[in-house]
Amino acid sequence: MTPTSRCSVAIAVVLLASAILVACGNGDDTKDGAVQGSPSDSAAASTTGGVNPADFSTTIDNKFFPLEPGQKRVYEGEEKSGAETTKTRVEETVLDETDKVAGVEVRTVEAKEYENDGLSEITKDYYAQYKDGAVYYFGERVDEYSNGQVVGDGGQWLAGEGQNQPGVFMPADPKVGDQFEQERAPGIAEDTSKVIVVGETVDVPAETASGCIKTEDYSPVDKATEFKFYCPDIGLMREEFTGGFLDLVSMEPSA
């Protein structure tokens, strides 16, 4: 999984975005794949389904998860398994293109993962920002590689397909104790996140930043826990997980 996809909705977040979460409650999909249901303020919702596309934007300026087209972030780290250590590298690019998922126009982030310098995965992650400032995750398309060939699509899911629903990736104003479902694809991806620290200082090769938040993320599918650090006007800066870590080593501004 990419840094942005390794990722029990608390009351704080429900209050933040209850309309859309309730809207996605029944998990059915329309002919064009849109999520059923109606947000409480979307009497004028389009025929794509109960999720009102007008409530979302591909302009993502959330303080802790900004996505500007042209941005490039590179992460490097390692993962140990027994006596073996694998060097990892992830190259993320916020593409200057959008797609539609569940009837909503979404921003695309392409992530290329390398293990010991060999390409292991290319993922396209889809995000949109709700009108209250929270960032929602609409799923991912995945190509797994071995020896230069595509061999699978493990973990792939899209909101609006079957029971899959968009999840809250980053609240507008995260506070200690906030819990939220980032991935809502039953049996495929069900990652949840909880804010456990605010005001953290994070030091990685790319830079040092203060005022960061730390989250504890749990994947019931993989039965794995990891910790992530998000910093103002930067986004994800560090991941810590069993046997390894991933640090932001460089970040290029948009062109």
Side-chain angles (χ1 to χ4, degrees):
M1 301 173 73
T2 64
T4 56
S5 63
R6 285 177 187 156
C7 1
S8 15
V9 179
I11 294 176
V13 175
V14 172
L15 292 175
L16 236 150
S18 58
I20 182 66
L21 293 178
V22 171
C24 299
N26 64 13
D28 294 333
D29 58 323
T30 63
K31 184 176 180 181
D32 65 359
V35 178
Q36 290 283 330
S38 286
S40 60
D41 59 352
S42 61
S46 75
T47 56
T48 57
V51 175
N52 186 358
D55 289 341
F56 292 88
S57 173
T58 57
T59 298
I60 300 176
D61 56 7
N62 180 289
K63 180 179 180 180
F64 292 101
F65 197 71
L67 297 177
E68 187 173 351
Q71 285 180 334
K72 295 182 180 180
R73 299 179 177 91
V74 177
Y75 301 84
E76 292 183 351
E78 63 182 33
E79 185 169 359
K80 295 182 179 179
S81 179
E84 183 178 352
T85 298
T86 301
K87 292 183 178 180
T88 56
R89 179 180 173 90
V90 179
E91 300 175 355
E92 281 189 352
T93 303
V94 183
L95 302 183
D96 190 14
E97 66 180 50
T98 61
D99 207 326
K100 274 199 174 181
V101 180
V104 175
E105 188 174 11
V106 292
R107 175 63 60 195
T108 303
V109 178
E110 183 182 69
K112 297 181 179 179
E113 287 192 37
Y114 299 85
E115 295 182 354
N116 293 332
D117 297 324
L119 180 65
S120 61
E121 185 173 293
I122 296 179
T123 302
K124 285 190 174 180
D125 296 298
Y126 302 109
Y127 302 92
Q129 186 163 297
Y130 193 55
K131 61 184 180 181
D132 64 3
V135 177
Y136 278 73
Y137 187 40
F138 281 75
E140 57 185 308
R141 289 188 170 96
V142 180
D143 285 330
E144 298 174 314
Y145 284 80
S146 179
N147 298 318
Q149 301 295 319
V150 176
V151 296
D153 60 0
Q156 178 168 289
W157 69 279
L158 294 174
E161 293 184 351
Q163 297 182 14
N164 302 343
Q165 302 169 13
V168 177
F169 192 86
M170 181 62 67
D173 184 22
K175 297 178 177 62
V176 170
D178 284 353
Q179 297 184 66
F180 40 99
E181 294 174 302
Q182 293 184 315
E183 297 182 303
R184 307 182 69 199
I188 302 172
E190 304 176 16
D191 291 11
T192 62
S193 185
K194 178 180 180 179
V195 179
I196 59 175
V197 179
V198 298
E200 188 93 341
T201 296
V202 180
D203 184 16
V204 296
E207 65 178 272
T208 300
S210 59
C212 308
I213 65 170
K214 179 180 180 180
T215 65
E216 180 180 29
D217 297 0
Y218 178 67
S219 169
V221 175
D222 300 324
K223 293 181 172 56
T225 298
E226 60 186 13
F227 300 92
K228 297 180 181 179
F229 300 80
Y230 299 87
C231 298
D233 304 318
I234 297 174
L236 181 65
M237 283 188 64
R238 180 175 174 83
E239 289 187 34
E240 297 174 352
F241 45 89
T242 302
F245 68 92
L246 201 63
D247 282 343
L248 180 68
V249 297
S250 69
M251 181 176 68
E252 297 179 15
S254 58

